[in-house]
Amino acid sequence: MSQPQFGPCPPRLVDLKKEIAASYPDFEARAIKAWGEILVELEKVTKEIAQEGSQGVPEVAFSELSSLSSERLEELKRKGCMVIRDVVDDAEARTWQAWLREYVSKNSNVDGIPENDKQFFQLYWTKSQIRARSHPNVLAATTWLNHMYHTRNGDKVEDVDLDTPLMYADRFRIRHPGVQWDAHPPHVDGGSIERWEDSCFRNCFADILNGNWRAHDPYDLQNRIHARTSLYKRPNQATVFRTYQGWLALSETAPTEGTLQVFPNVILSNAYTILRPFVSPKEGCSAESYDPNDWQFDISNPDFPGIFSFQEAFFGPRPNTKTHPHLKLDETMVSVPKVYPGDMVFWHCDVIHAVEKNHTGKEDSTVMYIPAMPYTPTNAAYVQKQKQSFLKGIAPPDFPANKGEINHVGVGMADDIENPIGKRAMGFAIEVA
């Protein structure tokens, strides 16, 4: 699958760099000092990540979520990713997989890519997806993930309810063995240039921009819930606040079998990514140097490495070994451990992730994308619009228009949401006894 054609950052982004530099006290000195510290830390941590491989991605059982130690929770937060085992019963997950296969076989004109061998489906309202999103255990897992977030002073944020999960309708894939997959190289979702351009989003990284990068907290709610992640209304760009992205496995999928890859240190990758646009190697020095003395403060050009213009909008961050060499992504994008039907994989919305290019296994790799999303006014408003899309059988608001599913054989209905928590998560009113 091919990638879209990207262009350079527009000249006006020089002014954005200058604006940011002027917004923080002693920005130049603090940025250069922090950059040097980050390089030293990356040189050590990337070796550890590469050495640990898939074993460095935490695995927890659904049954133990409420009893994890504080040390374990801190590890989960630092790495920003995890496998949660046995969220759904294996047999039920396999049934959902069978229903998906039946859906795409009985409805021959469904939206998906690649056109000649569809495997990634722009479909949102199958019975399998409706049942999975509204499953009590799935909603319990996403609620638990929502509670990873907090405010620094411990106060509740007005109109935010981490105990009320909402559901964001997304797609699914049935990936066949032996097919090259180039559509999902290392990237970060949930906002592109917005990370620097939107003032609330930028404030999520204030500690980094102040030079105090070790204090950066990716789980601070205060600015996250107000961050505008889609200033340019690009299709497939989420406009809601998701605490974690995720998927539910409906098949066995092991490393090398087309699974997810992650860079498992969200604090360090955030610090490096956010400061990268403000530095350049000194003349005669390598862009791969870990020596802090080889780098200089530089806001003379509009480049935000890993950010690309696309029509009137932007793509990225899409770090690679050239734009972000110190991440050593060719070694540190580790595959998640083998998953089984009913397991779920989650990653923080800032985590660098990718999909393996090759699938060397023997079975289709089938997953449904299901993120974690708490109640906020913005999220709730989106869910109401999404509910109307569901009732009409059309693509949700954040996604490109599709052919629609209302007349498809096996399309999910409101009655397929079998419990009150699921109905509320999908925006339906529930009766209170």
Side-chain angles (χ1 to χ4, degrees):
M1 281 176 279
S2 61
Q3 300 180 37
Q5 295 298 309
F6 297 140
C9 290
R12 68 176 178 85
L13 293 188
V14 168
D15 294 331
L16 175 59
K17 288 187 180 183
K18 292 178 179 178
E19 174 193 332
I20 294 171
S23 300
Y24 298 89
D26 203 16
F27 181 77
E28 178 175 343
R30 292 185 179 189
I32 280 293
K33 181 176 183 294
W35 179 255
E37 295 170 353
I38 292 165
L39 293 184
V40 171
E41 187 74 4
L42 273 172
E43 188 171 21
K44 178 186 72 172
V45 170
T46 52
K47 292 176 182 176
E48 296 171 354
I49 291 173
Q51 185 174 7
E52 288 186 333
S54 297
Q55 294 181 343
V57 177
E59 304 172 55
V60 296
F62 175 73
S63 60
E64 65 176 339
L65 293 183
S66 62
S67 59
L68 294 175
S69 67
S70 58
E71 292 80 12
R72 185 65 162 155
L73 290 172
E74 285 306 309
E75 180 196 9
L76 295 175
K77 288 184 177 181
R78 174 171 52 83
K79 293 188 172 182
C81 55
M82 71 195 76
V83 177
I84 303 181
R85 300 288 187 193
D86 300 318
V87 178
V88 176
D89 179 75
D90 293 23
E92 190 164 18
R94 283 292 193 186
T95 298
W96 293 340
Q97 181 190 32
W99 288 353
L100 288 182
R101 286 174 170 165
E102 184 178 6
Y103 192 84
V104 299
S105 65
K106 287 189 174 181
N107 302 291
S108 58
N109 198 31
V110 295
D111 289 284
I113 55 175
E115 184 61 36
N116 61 342
D117 184 22
K118 294 175 181 176
Q119 300 175 52
F120 187 85
F121 296 92
Q122 280 87 33
L123 299 171
Y124 308 89
W125 310 123
T126 70
K127 184 176 180 179
S128 296
Q129 289 166 295
I130 302 305
R131 287 283 180 90
R133 293 175 192 142
S134 60
H135 193 285
N137 288 7
V138 171
L139 292 171
T142 60
T143 300
W144 178 80
L145 289 163
N146 290 340
H147 277 278
M148 290 286 194
Y149 284 70
H150 53 257
T151 57
R152 295 201 175 192
N153 59 12
D155 291 344
K156 286 190 174 183
V157 180
E158 186 177 359
D159 296 327
V160 173
D161 186 358
L162 299 177
D163 287 317
T164 299
L166 299 180
M167 194 43 60
Y168 185 77
D170 207 329
R171 299 149 293 183
F172 65 90
R173 74 164 188 256
I174 304 176
R175 184 176 174 183
H176 307 322
V179 177
Q180 178 88 5
W181 194 289
D182 297 318
H184 298 95
H187 64 285
V188 180
D189 292 318
S192 182
I193 193 63
E194 289 89 349
R195 291 170 184 274
W196 295 270
E197 190 170 12
D198 178 68
S199 58
C200 280
F201 208 164
R202 186 194 311 159
N203 281 338
C204 295
F205 312 106
D207 284 318
I208 298 170
L209 293 166
N210 275 320
N212 191 22
W213 66 274
R214 294 181 190 276
H216 169 57
D217 183 359
Y219 301 89
D220 188 349
L221 271 176
Q222 198 67 53
N223 290 294
R224 288 278 174 180
I225 60 170
H226 300 298
R228 294 182 298 167
T229 58
S230 184
L231 293 176
Y232 299 93
K233 311 303 179 187
R234 176 173 63 80
N236 295 317
Q237 178 64 69
T239 58
V240 298
F241 166 51
R242 298 173 294 179
T243 56
Y244 282 78
Q245 294 167 252
W247 49 247
L248 170 67
L250 304 183
S251 64
E252 292 186 16
T253 304
T256 78
E257 295 181 358
T259 197
L260 181 79
Q261 296 179 308
V262 292
F263 181 93
N265 191 315
V266 66
I267 295 173
L268 194 51
S269 61
N270 269 355
Y272 180 74
T273 300
I274 292 298
L275 283 182
R276 178 67 186 90
F278 303 98
V279 296
S280 67
K282 294 177 180 176
E283 187 174 354
C285 296
S286 170
E288 298 181 6
S289 172
Y290 285 91
D291 185 347
N293 294 317
D294 288 347
W295 291 84
Q296 63 187 353
F297 181 73
D298 184 2
I299 56 173
S300 64
N301 65 73
D303 293 339
F304 280 71
I307 302 295
F308 304 92
S309 62
F310 177 73
Q311 298 174 356
E312 300 301 316
F314 296 86
F315 264 86
R318 287 200 171 199
N320 57 57
T321 54
K322 183 177 180 181
T323 60
H324 298 76
H326 306 93
L327 293 175
K328 295 184 177 178
L329 295 176
D330 52 345
E331 303 173 35
T332 58
M333 291 301 294
V334 298
S335 302
V336 300
K338 183 175 181 178
V339 294
Y340 299 86
D343 293 341
M344 296 194 76
V345 177
F346 289 100
W347 60 100
H348 185 284
C349 49
D350 290 343
V351 163
I352 301 169
H353 60 286
V355 177
E356 289 179 331
K357 287 187 176 183
N358 297 306
H359 179 354
T360 64
K362 297 181 179 180
E363 180 186 2
D364 288 345
S365 172
T366 307
V367 306
M368 285 192 285
Y369 296 95
I370 301 177
M373 187 170 82
Y375 180 95
T376 72
T378 299
N379 288 354
Y382 178 88
V383 165
Q384 286 303 314
K385 292 185 289 185
Q386 178 182 263
K387 179 180 71 173
Q388 296 306 314
S389 298
F390 168 47
L391 296 175
K392 296 175 183 176
I394 60 176
D398 276 351
F399 297 90
N402 63 1
K403 299 169 188 172
E405 302 176 59
I406 194 67
N407 295 316
H408 283 6
V409 177
V411 69
M413 310 298 289
D415 289 345
D416 290 314
I417 308 173
E418 298 182 313
N419 62 81
I421 299 173
K423 291 182 185 295
R424 183 174 59 185
M426 285 289 289
F428 288 93
I430 59 173
E431 295 182 5
V432 178

